[in-house]
């Protein structure tokens, strides 16, 4: 049974979500900020009371302005110090300097001199001390914790600051009755002294153990810049500075409204003092409770951006109410919103904003933001209040209007800050090569006459590849202006150029070049012969029959004979009447008979390719069997020619033979094109083939890409249907196709509700697999001594598959996320979460945490965090994911119900090797499985179990 200290430790870990490794440094940091704030709450009332008693409240606006001026001057020297000393030394020397200063102030005040205006010195020092020491503390905390750890523990650490404020106030009140105000500064110096060993210990034990990835970010390209220039050049830092500055202004306006309104309603000084004292202590207690029990949950669940909205929203509601209900309870409501949230939720979220900032930049800019910007904002608030007091006589109405205006601006910049915060994490996750990509410059629009001239110039002076490229371009849009240039290309040395030139001239009407082109019929290249014959037949339609007879009778020249068949079929392909006139079917039959009797070799291959092209042109059904036969050929050039004809014919008879070869990479692109030629009508057939298990898995996994090519809403709907009811290899391809279509065509709709629902389902499947794996691990340990070697091997095989499925399931989850969120944001995250360094993983999950909606975040973030530990299922993961521990029977049942043939094989094999009859009902479940292999294995397993003796 654990001892009392151990029970207390376990309670702290559980309630505040702190790991055992983090406990020591977290408590030390909490003690550190507790002492800093206790010191501040001793010194500040002491100095402020002396200041007000000597100079009166009228000196406060000047104090605000002087504080801002000295903060700016001090930041210059502080920046210089950072350039020469480490952060550790700066923090230690700040603490030592503060202790010495407190002792000097104590001595000066004990001399009972009339200090007068010199009291501005301690007043300004206290204001800057409070901002500087807390800023340095949070920089140290930012270094010690990564993004994910910080989100969990900053709320707990921040409770030390609030507790220090409460304790400091009470301690000052208690000591003031028997210790003079001046000597209270020595008490503060004594308490502050203990921050030095704490800081040294944390630095030596934690900071020196920074990971390689963290150390890589210690240096920054901004290091030579001033803090102001750094902030100005960084969208994130400038947004942080604006948000903090506006927040300070609103806080001062709220303080004035609270004090002014209360003093007008409560006229008795003692009652007013009691009122302020009650609410000061009450607000501190409320803030502490919020910090301890709500901050972690609010910031963890809502993220940094939304958490920052709580404080302005609360004050905004109160300020609007005050316009209509100018009563004390409204002012108290505003102060409660401000007091309870500012140092709890808002403070924790604000400190998290600096997490993605490189450490060297953070050291120089955070203090500038916390001290200088805070002080400047305080000065601005002072000027605004002086204006309101003198012009509007301090009217609560105008102060409320001013507060509301600033809050609206504040909220606007919070939304912008949230975007920049996410972008900052995104930039940390970018691969180095992605940053070096240059932006493409927009191409200038070229005048049409320049385009024509450029094409003519290519035809005249270009090399072969340039000319071929332009010939393909002009073939798309025939233009008579190129006639002479194309005519000249008939004499080009390249056969490919001459063939394409004739094909281009076929569509032009400027002049009949038959006399020039006819000699080209005797070229060795069959493509030139074909295009030349086709050109002549087109331009001399009345002589088509004579041309056909003339050239088809040439013996010993298969090239010309094949070209005649192709050319004539191209001219006759849309005219059944002309086909009959030329008795083209008989001609084709003769060609087929010749092909059959040819010996194997190039001549027979070329004849078959000619026949296939001709069949595609004339679309005669009696010859379709030749195409079907050719689709099964082991010669890729034959298959490709058959596919070209299929694209013309589009007969259903060819679909199944094509689907059976999708697994072949060398033919896949041509197969995709041929299937796409069938049009959208083929989508239903393809979907049905997969759902009815009519296609082998090695082919069906490529069908989603075929469907994707149609780029329509019907394709989207079919892919959605495939996701739920198919094997993983098919469904993951369907998900990827769906993702590409969604982002390529914004007009195609994929419901967010569907994506979120499927992602949550996939998260549940991940947890089920993890539970199944955990159950198998437990069983393997318990029964290691009594199981046979075959059963042990079978169980290890199943566990290995389950481990693979966990990794695969993560891929599915992130693929679904890529449908809802930009793929360039999501795609890099999975690799980083799987194999990145610890700090990178923390950044990736924090980025994800701020990107996802609440429902997705609740399920997915624990899964992403559990992926940190390779092949280990710790008790912490089990609790975090709330995993069930299945019985062996339940585990097998869940696994057999999955659409996963490999898992079913492994489970049935393990059941078979166990020889336990109690699993017979489970085996019977898969006797009707869609997979023939699974049905056969289930029957075999059932027979083996039936023959086992009864126990």
């Amino acid at each position: 049974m654990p001892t009392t200290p151990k029970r207390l430790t376990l309670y702290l870990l559980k309630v505040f979500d702190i790991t055992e490794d983090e406990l020591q440094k977290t408590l030390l940091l909490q003690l550190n900020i507790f002492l800093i704030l206790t010191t501040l709450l001793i010194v500040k009332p002491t100095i402020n009371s002396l200041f007000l008693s000597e100079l009166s409240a009228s000196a406060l606006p000047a104090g605000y302005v002087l504080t801002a001026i000295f903060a700016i001057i001090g930041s210059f020297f502080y920046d210089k110090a950072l350039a020469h000393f480490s952060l550790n030394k700066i923090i230690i020397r700040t603490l030592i300097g503060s202790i010495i200063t407190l002792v000097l102030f104590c001595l000066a005040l004990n001399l009972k001199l009339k200090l007068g205006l010199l009291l501005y010195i301690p007043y300004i020092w206290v204001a800057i001390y409070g901002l500087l020491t807390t800023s340095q503390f949070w920089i140290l905390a930012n270094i010690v914790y990564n993004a994910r750890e910080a989100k969990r523990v900053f709320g707990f650490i921040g409770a030390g600051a609030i507790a220090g404020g409460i304790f400091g106030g009470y301690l000052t009140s208690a000591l003031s009755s028997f210790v003079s105000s001046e000597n209270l500064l020595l008490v503060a110096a004594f308490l502050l002294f203990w921050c030095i060993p704490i800081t040294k210990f944390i630095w030596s034990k934690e900071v020196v153990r920074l990971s390689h990835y963290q150390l890589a970010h210690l240096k920054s390209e901004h290091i030579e810049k001033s803090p102001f220039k750094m902030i100005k050049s960084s969208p994130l830092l400038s947004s942080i500075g604006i948000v903090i500055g506006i927040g300070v202004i609103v806080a001062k306006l709220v303080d004035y409204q609270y004090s002014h309104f209360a003093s007008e309603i409560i006229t008795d000084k003692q009652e007013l003092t009691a009122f302020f004292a009650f609410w000061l202590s009450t607000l501190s207690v409320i803030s502490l409770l919020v910090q301890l029990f709500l901050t972690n949950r609010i910031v963890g669940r809502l993220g940094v951006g939304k958490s920052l909205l709580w404080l302005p929203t609360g004050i905004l509601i109160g300020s609007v109410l005050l316009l209509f209900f100018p009563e004390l309870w409204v002012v108290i409501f505003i102060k409660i919103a401000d007091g309870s949230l500012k140092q709890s939720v808002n403070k924790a979220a604000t400190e998290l904003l600096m997490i993605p900032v490189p450490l060297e930049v953070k050291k120089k800019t955070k203090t500038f933001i916390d001290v200088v910007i805070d002080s400047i904002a305080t000065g601005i608030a002072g000027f605004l209040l002086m204006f309101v007091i003198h012009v509007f006589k301090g009217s609560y109405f105008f102060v409320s209007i001013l507060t509301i205006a600033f809050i609206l601006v504040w909220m606007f910049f919070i939304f912008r800050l949230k975007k920049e915060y996410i972008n900052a994490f995104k930039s940390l996750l970018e691969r180095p090569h992605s940053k070096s990509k240059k932006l493409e410059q927009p191409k200038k629009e070229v005048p049409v006459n320049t385009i024509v001239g450029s094409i003519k110039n290519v035809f005249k002076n270009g090399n072969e590849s340039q000319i071929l490229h332009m010939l393909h371009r002009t073939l798309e849009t025939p233009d008579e202006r190129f006639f002479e240039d194309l005519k000249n290309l008939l004499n080009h040395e390249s056969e490919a150029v001459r063939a394409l030139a004739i094909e281009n001239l076929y569509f032009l009407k400027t002049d009949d070049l038959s006399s020039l082109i006819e000699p080209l019929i005797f070229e060795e290249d069959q493509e030139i012969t074909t295009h030349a014959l086709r050109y002549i037949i087109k331009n001399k339609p009345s002589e088509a029959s004579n041309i056909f007879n003339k050239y088809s009778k040439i013996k010993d020249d298969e090239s010309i004979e094949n070209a005649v068949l192709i050319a004539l079929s191209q001219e006759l392909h849309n005219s059944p009447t002309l086909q009959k006139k030329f008795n083209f079917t008989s001609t084709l039959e003769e060609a087929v008979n010749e092909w059959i009797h040819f010996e194997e070799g190039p001549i027979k291959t070329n004849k078959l390719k000619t026949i296939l092209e001709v069949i595609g042109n004339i679309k005669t059904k009696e010859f379709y069997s030749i195409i079907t036969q050719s689709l099964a050929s082991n010669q890729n050039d034959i298959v490709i020619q058959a596919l070209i004809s299929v694209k013309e014919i589009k007969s259903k008879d060819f679909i199944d033979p094509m689907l059976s070869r999708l697994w072949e990479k060398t033919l896949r692109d041509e197969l995709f094109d041929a299937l796409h030629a069938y049009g959208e009508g083929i989508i239903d057939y393809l979907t049905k083939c997969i759902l009815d298990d009519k296609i082998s898995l090695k082919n069906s996994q490529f069908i989603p890409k075929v469907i994707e090519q149609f780029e329509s809403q019907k394709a989207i709907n079919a892919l959605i249907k495939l996701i739920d009811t198919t094997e993983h290899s098919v469904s993951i391809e369907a998900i990827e196709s769906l993702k590409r279509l969604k982002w390529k065509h914004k007009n195609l709709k994929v419901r967010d509700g569907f994506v979120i629902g499927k992602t949550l389902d996939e998260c549940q499947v991940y947890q089920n697999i993890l539970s199944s794996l955990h159950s198998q691990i437990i069983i393997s340990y318990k029964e290691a001594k009594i199981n046979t070697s075959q059963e042990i091997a079978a169980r290890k095989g199943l566990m290995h598959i389950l481990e693979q499925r966990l990794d695969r399931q993560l891929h599915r989850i992130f693929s679904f996320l890529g449908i809802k969120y930009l793929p360039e944001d999501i795609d890099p995250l999975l690799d980083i979460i799987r194999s990145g360094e610890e700090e990178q993983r923390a950044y990736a999950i924090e980025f994800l945490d701020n990107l996802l909606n609440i429902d997705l975040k609740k399920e997915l973030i624990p899964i992403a965090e559990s992926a940190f530990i390779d092949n280990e299922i710790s008790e912490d993961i089990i609790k975090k994911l709330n995993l069930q521990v299945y019985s062996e029977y339940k585990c097998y049942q869940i696994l057999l119900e999955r659409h996963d043939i490999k898992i079913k094989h492994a489970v049935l094999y393990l059941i078979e090797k166990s020889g336990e009859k109690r699993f017979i009902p489970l085996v019977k479940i898969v006797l009707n499985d869609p997979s023939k292999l699974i049905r056969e294995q289930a029957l075999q397993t059932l027979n083996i179990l039936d023959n086992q003796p009864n126990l």
Side-chain angles (χ1 to χ4, degrees):
M1 185 174 177
T3 60
T4 301
K6 183 66 174 178
R7 285 201 299 269
L8 179 60
T9 301
L10 293 173
Y11 176 78
L12 283 174
L13 297 177
K14 180 180 179 181
V15 172
F16 300 111
D17 195 17
I18 302 170
T19 66
E20 196 164 349
D21 292 338
E22 297 166 346
L23 186 60
Q24 183 188 54
K25 62 183 178 183
T26 301
L27 290 175
L28 283 174
L29 282 167
Q30 189 185 59
L31 176 60
N32 200 352
I33 192 66
F34 173 86
L35 292 172
I36 289 171
L37 266 292
T38 299
T39 301
L40 180 64
L41 265 291
I42 293 172
V43 175
K44 194 169 185 177
T46 303
I47 297 297
N48 285 356
S49 63
L50 291 170
F51 181 86
L52 292 173
S53 62
E54 289 279 341
L55 301 178
S56 79
S58 61
L60 284 175
Y64 292 160
V65 175
L66 286 171
T67 300
I69 293 171
F70 277 94
I72 295 170
I73 295 170
S75 71
F76 173 79
F77 292 102
Y78 187 81
D79 185 43
K80 293 295 182 184
L82 283 171
H84 294 88
F85 303 104
S86 68
L87 179 62
N88 181 35
K89 290 182 179 178
I90 295 288
I91 295 174
I92 297 300
R93 290 179 184 183
T94 299
L95 292 171
I96 293 171
S98 298
I99 293 168
I100 293 171
T101 303
L102 289 171
V103 173
L104 291 175
F105 283 161
C106 176
L107 294 174
L109 293 173
N110 274 306
L111 293 175
K112 306 298 181 181
L113 299 174
K114 281 284 186 179
L115 296 175
L117 294 178
L118 291 176
L119 284 171
Y120 275 110
I121 296 174
Y123 178 84
I124 294 168
W125 180 87
V126 169
I128 294 176
Y129 157 81
L131 297 172
L132 180 61
T133 51
T134 53
S135 178
Q136 289 177 338
F137 168 81
W138 286 113
I139 292 174
L140 178 61
N142 269 261
I143 296 172
V144 171
Y145 298 101
N146 66 37
R148 300 304 300 161
E149 293 168 344
K151 183 169 279 189
R152 286 188 293 101
V153 304
F154 272 16
F156 181 70
I157 291 172
I162 299 170
I166 297 171
F167 179 74
Y170 285 128
L171 182 63
T172 303
S173 299
L175 293 178
S176 59
S177 59
F178 55 89
V179 178
S180 66
S181 297
E182 295 83 354
N183 291 329
L184 284 174
L185 299 180
L186 291 177
V187 177
F190 172 77
L191 293 172
L192 190 60
F193 168 80
W194 295 106
C195 292
I196 297 174
I198 293 173
T199 302
K200 285 183 175 180
F201 179 84
I202 291 170
W203 190 273
S204 63
K205 293 294 183 181
E206 301 296 335
V207 179
V208 295
R209 292 160 52 187
L210 288 174
S211 70
H212 170 76
Y213 183 79
Q214 287 174 304
L215 291 173
H217 285 76
L218 278 171
K219 293 185 178 180
S220 168
E221 59 184 288
H222 303 295
I223 192 167
E224 297 300 327
K225 294 182 180 179
S226 68
F228 177 75
K229 287 183 179 178
M230 286 184 183
I231 293 167
K232 186 180 177 182
S233 63
S234 166
L236 174 63
L237 291 173
S238 57
S239 297
I240 291 173
I242 292 170
V243 166
I244 288 178
I246 297 174
V248 170
I249 293 172
V250 171
K252 299 302 179 185
L253 293 175
V254 168
D255 282 342
Y256 171 80
Q257 190 86 300
Y258 172 69
S259 302
H260 176 69
F261 206 95
S263 62
E264 281 194 348
I265 293 177
I266 304 172
T267 55
D268 184 79
K269 289 185 178 180
Q270 289 185 337
E271 289 183 13
L272 184 61
T273 303
F275 173 83
F276 283 144
F278 171 79
W279 282 109
L280 178 62
S281 58
T282 302
L283 289 173
S284 297
V285 172
I286 293 173
S287 182
L288 179 61
L289 293 173
V290 171
Q291 184 77 345
L292 284 173
F293 301 107
L294 294 179
T295 296
N296 188 22
R297 290 172 174 80
I298 292 170
V299 177
R301 184 172 175 80
L302 298 181
V304 173
K306 291 180 180 178
S307 298
L308 286 171
L309 289 170
W310 277 54
L311 176 59
T313 301
I315 298 173
L316 179 63
I317 293 169
S319 298
V320 172
L321 283 172
L322 192 61
L323 293 176
F324 301 98
F325 305 100
E327 299 177 12
L328 185 59
W329 67 268
V330 179
V331 178
I332 294 173
F333 172 82
I334 296 173
K335 192 60 180 176
I336 289 174
D338 177 63
S340 62
L341 296 174
K342 183 165 64 178
Q343 295 301 326
S344 55
V345 175
N346 198 72
K347 183 65 175 176
T350 302
E351 296 305 331
L352 286 168
L353 292 171
M354 296 298 289
I355 289 288
V357 179
L359 295 178
E360 194 66 26
V361 177
K362 192 183 302 181
K363 283 173 12 181
K364 295 166 76 73
T365 56
K366 178 165 172 54
T367 302
F368 185 89
I369 291 171
D370 289 343
V371 177
V372 179
I373 292 180
D374 189 293
S375 301
I376 292 173
T378 301
I380 292 171
F383 281 121
L384 286 172
L385 288 172
M386 288 167 64
F387 175 77
V388 170
I389 291 168
H390 286 92
V391 177
F392 298 107
K393 308 301 180 185
S395 169
Y396 73 87
F397 181 84
F398 290 105
V399 176
S400 294
I401 293 294
L402 194 61
T403 304
I404 290 169
F406 271 103
I407 289 173
L408 294 176
V409 177
W410 189 10
M411 296 175 83
F412 168 79
F413 279 102
I414 287 174
F415 282 110
R416 197 177 86 168
L417 175 56
K418 180 187 176 185
K419 180 181 176 183
E420 297 301 338
Y421 181 68
I422 294 174
N423 288 340
F425 277 108
K426 185 178 175 181
S427 67
L428 289 173
L429 303 174
E430 286 178 356
R431 302 300 190 203
H433 67 269
S434 67
K435 295 181 180 180
S436 61
K437 290 182 179 177
K438 294 183 179 179
L439 293 174
E440 293 185 7
Q441 296 295 324
K443 296 179 180 178
K444 295 182 179 179
E445 188 174 338
V446 182
V448 174
N449 59 344
T450 306
I451 295 174
V452 173
S454 298
I455 294 174
K456 285 176 171 286
N457 183 56
V458 170
F459 285 155
K460 186 177 180 180
N461 303 310
N463 59 36
E464 182 181 356
S465 62
Q466 291 172 330
I467 294 172
L468 288 173
H469 173 74
M470 283 301 179
L471 285 170
H472 282 293
R473 295 281 300 275
T474 54
L475 194 60
E476 296 172 3
T477 53
D479 193 322
E480 299 289 342
R481 287 176 291 182
F482 302 126
F483 181 85
E484 290 298 328
D485 302 279
L486 293 167
K487 179 181 175 183
N488 293 332
L489 289 175
L490 293 176
N491 298 315
H492 198 278
E493 61 183 12
S494 167
E495 292 176 341
V497 169
R498 295 201 297 276
L500 262 179
I502 299 170
E503 190 174 3
N504 270 270
L505 286 166
Y506 176 90
F507 295 100
L508 302 183
K509 301 176 181 178
T510 300
D511 195 7
D512 183 2
L513 299 178
S514 296
S515 59
L516 282 175
I517 291 176
E518 188 166 357
L520 298 177
I521 291 172
F522 298 96
E523 291 268 0
E524 290 184 5
D525 186 78
Q526 183 173 311
E527 192 173 358
I528 294 177
T529 304
T530 302
H531 288 308
L533 281 166
R534 192 179 179 199
Y535 181 91
I536 295 167
I537 292 170
K538 179 212 170 189
N539 283 279
K540 296 180 179 180
S542 59
E543 300 179 25
S545 180
N546 295 331
I547 294 169
F548 174 70
N549 291 326
K550 176 182 176 181
Y551 290 106
S552 63
K553 301 301 182 183
I554 297 177
K555 299 298 181 183
D556 302 324
D557 197 333
E558 286 296 328
S559 176
I560 293 179
E561 189 177 337
N562 291 341
V564 170
L565 276 173
I566 293 170
L568 195 59
S569 69
Q570 288 173 339
E571 293 303 309
L572 303 181
H573 77 285
N574 285 325
S575 178
T577 304
L578 285 177
Q579 288 179 23
K580 287 182 181 179
K581 179 182 176 181
F582 282 88
N583 195 20
F584 197 76
T585 302
S586 298
T587 304
L588 183 56
E589 284 178 352
E590 289 178 13
V592 170
N593 288 329
E594 287 180 12
W595 163 66
I596 291 171
H597 292 95
F598 278 145
E599 291 184 3
E600 294 296 333
I603 293 176
K604 184 168 186 175
T605 298
N606 287 333
K607 178 62 76 174
L608 176 57
K609 289 164 73 175
T610 298
I611 291 168
L612 290 170
E613 185 173 351
V614 170
I615 295 170
N617 289 333
I618 65 172
K619 302 178 180 65
T620 305
K621 288 185 178 180
E622 60 191 270
F623 298 104
Y624 284 2
S625 59
I626 298 175
I627 293 180
T628 303
Q629 179 183 342
S630 298
L631 287 172
S633 173
N634 57 6
Q635 292 180 252
N636 282 359
D637 56 341
I638 296 294
V639 179
I640 290 170
Q641 184 57 61
L643 290 171
I644 293 171
S645 297
V646 167
K647 286 161 65 175
E648 297 294 328
I649 298 169
K650 305 178 187 70
S651 169
K652 287 185 177 180
D653 297 337
F654 305 139
I655 295 177
D656 288 344
M658 287 192 289
L659 295 180
S660 68
R661 304 197 69 166
L662 282 174
W663 64 275
E664 298 180 56
K665 189 175 181 179
T666 53
L667 294 172
R668 200 171 297 144
D669 289 341
E670 288 79 9
L671 288 164
F672 281 2
D673 287 342
L675 290 165
H676 182 255
Y678 280 75
E680 277 196 353
I682 199 175
I683 291 178
D684 292 334
Y685 180 78
L686 294 175
T687 306
K688 191 172 187 302
C689 283
I690 294 179
L691 297 180
D692 293 346
D693 202 26
K694 290 183 178 179
I695 311 173
S696 65
L697 189 58
K698 69 176 183 178
N699 290 307
S700 61
Q701 62 185 305
F702 298 105
I703 287 181
K705 285 187 179 178
V706 178
I707 296 173
E708 179 188 345
Q709 290 183 114
F710 293 101
E711 299 181 345
S712 64
Q713 192 61 46
K714 185 172 184 178
I716 291 280
N717 297 338
L719 291 169
I720 289 173
K721 192 180 294 184
L722 291 179
I723 288 171
D724 281 328
T725 52
T726 54
E727 277 287 321
H728 169 79
S729 56
V730 179
S731 63
I732 195 66
E733 288 298 331
I735 296 167
E736 293 296 328
S737 292
L738 198 62
K739 179 168 66 176
R740 288 190 291 268
L741 282 179
K742 196 253 185 170
W743 292 107
K744 184 178 179 182
H745 301 282
K746 299 299 176 64
N747 60 309
L748 300 180
K749 305 298 180 186
V750 182
R751 290 186 302 104
D752 270 359
F754 163 76
V755 178
I756 292 171
K758 287 305 300 177
T759 307
L760 294 175
D761 289 344
E762 297 295 335
C763 290
Q764 187 60 51
V765 171
Y766 181 93
Q767 293 187 19
N768 288 342
I769 295 174
L770 198 58
S771 292
S772 299
L773 178 59
H774 182 56
S775 299
Q776 289 301 312
I777 291 171
I778 292 173
I779 294 167
S780 67
Y781 281 129
K782 285 182 177 179
E783 302 183 3
K785 294 182 180 180
I786 61 174
N787 287 341
T788 64
S789 59
Q790 287 186 327
E791 185 176 351
I792 291 171
R795 195 177 305 282
K796 284 183 178 178
L798 175 60
M799 288 162 61
H800 178 67
I801 294 172
L802 291 175
E803 287 172 358
Q804 291 179 327
R805 292 304 184 261
L806 281 177
D807 194 57
R808 197 174 76 171
Q809 198 61 30
L810 271 179
H811 182 199
R812 289 176 66 91
I813 291 169
F814 278 81
S815 293
F816 271 114
L817 288 178
I819 299 175
K820 177 172 172 56
Y821 302 100
L822 286 171
E824 56 262 37
D825 287 348
I826 295 297
D827 290 346
L829 297 181
L830 182 56
D831 286 339
I832 294 171
I833 288 172
R834 281 171 170 167
S835 56
E837 294 189 29
E838 183 178 350
E839 193 74 10
Q840 286 178 301
R841 293 174 176 178
Y843 284 145
I845 295 176
E846 181 62 18
F847 172 73
L848 201 60
D849 197 6
N850 285 276
L851 188 68
L852 303 180
N853 68 25
I854 292 176
D855 291 333
L856 288 173
K857 186 189 305 186
K858 181 181 177 183
E859 296 296 327
L860 184 52
I861 295 301
I863 288 175
E865 289 177 330
S866 73
F868 273 31
I869 303 171
D870 299 328
N871 301 323
E872 292 184 16
I873 307 176
S874 65
E875 290 299 320
D876 185 51
I877 290 175
I878 294 169
K879 290 176 183 177
K880 187 172 287 187
L881 295 177
N882 195 24
L883 294 181
Q884 298 182 48
V885 180
Y886 298 137
S887 66
E888 188 175 11
Y889 190 95
K890 181 67 175 178
C891 178
Y892 295 158
Q893 182 182 357
I894 290 172
L895 294 176
L896 288 172
E897 288 172 352
R898 286 180 49 76
H899 294 289
D900 193 319
I901 290 176
K902 201 168 182 180
I903 283 182
K904 289 177 183 178
H905 275 306
V907 172
L908 288 172
Y909 182 70
L910 178 54
I911 289 174
E912 176 189 322
K913 295 305 175 185
S914 73
E916 296 188 45
K917 286 193 169 186
R918 64 191 176 103
F919 299 128
I920 288 177
L922 294 179
V923 179
K924 289 181 178 179
I925 292 175
V926 290
L927 286 175
N928 297 317
D929 194 85
S931 170
K932 182 181 177 182
L933 290 174
I934 294 298
R935 293 197 300 270
E936 290 175 351
Q937 186 182 3
L939 192 60
Q940 175 187 319
T941 304
L942 198 60
N943 290 334
I944 291 173
L945 293 180
D946 282 337
N947 292 326
Q948 293 293 322
N950 294 318
L951 297 178

